[in-house]
Amino acid sequence: GCTVKFSGYLGDWNNLFCSYGHAKYPRLMKLGKDITLWGLELGLLSMARGEAARFIFTPEYAYGRRGCPPSIPPDTTVLFEVEVLDFIDSEECDLFFELSDEQQDTFPLEKVLKVAATEREFGNYFFHKQNFRVAKQRYKRALSILGRSCSSEAEQSQVDTSKVPLLLNLSLTYLRLEHPEQALKYGKKALEMDQGNAKALFRCGQACLCMKEYSKSRDFLTRAQRIQPFNRDINNELKKLA
């Protein structure tokens, strides 16, 4: 998936015929699905995050012999200015979700962890765009992927290590959605896996403060402060509590 800005021109760089992605929050698009112009797809695959480029597409890489009436005449060479704002490689994810439940259960753990990490990356993308509901869905989907039974303690340890940041992400997302009870639930789940996690203690403290459970909030926050005494966020939350 990628977020892009692009402008298409006919004949020269002054004759604009299409423009996309110039809104404040351009949506995430998929190559081959949302972006179907062959030349544009090839061009984007050659680019890195943050890169801008100019392309000239002959008809076979653009709109072909027929063009696209009425705006694109037949056999037209087009010019494109393109900027890649963000890019997430979801090929492994797409493959995984096409499998049956039985096939997913036998998918190698290393690849399952990679799929979950990509889902988390999508969640982070939507979180930073302030789209907390979609972010929550992506984080939960990543957690469900990691819900498989493990064949050894070593595997379970790997899975738990991947789960903790997802639980913390969900806790923060629920705080943003103003659901502190859920934020506390996911913060506590992270603590069950990592008792000394200062961020999990901090999230639980934040949630309790929102719920006006002040003594519980103080307990969580002072425990977090003992682990990270110079953490500005923790200290500011304790000031807020006081």
Side-chain angles (χ1 to χ4, degrees), residues 1-6 20 27-48 55 57 82-84 86-91 94 98 122:
C2 60
T3 46
V4 296
K5 284 182 184 177
F6 61 78
Y20 177 81
R27 74 185 182 91
L28 201 65
M29 302 175 81
K30 292 196 81 169
L31 299 180
K33 184 179 176 184
D34 302 309
I35 297 171
T36 54
L37 199 71
W38 191 26
L40 190 54
E41 191 172 344
L42 291 174
L44 286 166
L45 286 169
S46 73
M47 297 175 70
F55 296 103
F57 301 137
V82 184
E83 183 181 354
V84 176
D86 211 339
F87 185 83
I88 302 171
D89 183 0
S90 61
E91 188 177 358
D94 295 341
E98 285 170 10
F122 275 114

Side-chain angles (χ1 to χ4, degrees), residues 2 8-10 16 21 33 46 75 95 116 133 136 142 152 161-162 171 181 205 218 220 226 230:
C2 60
Y9 302 85
L10 293 175
L16 180 73
K33 184 179 176 184
S46 73
D75 270 327
L95 172 66
R133 294 192 182 282
K136 174 190 73 175
S152 68
T161 299
S162 294
S171 184
E181 302 87 355
R218 184 177 294 108
F220 282 120
R226 278 198 291 272
F230 303 110

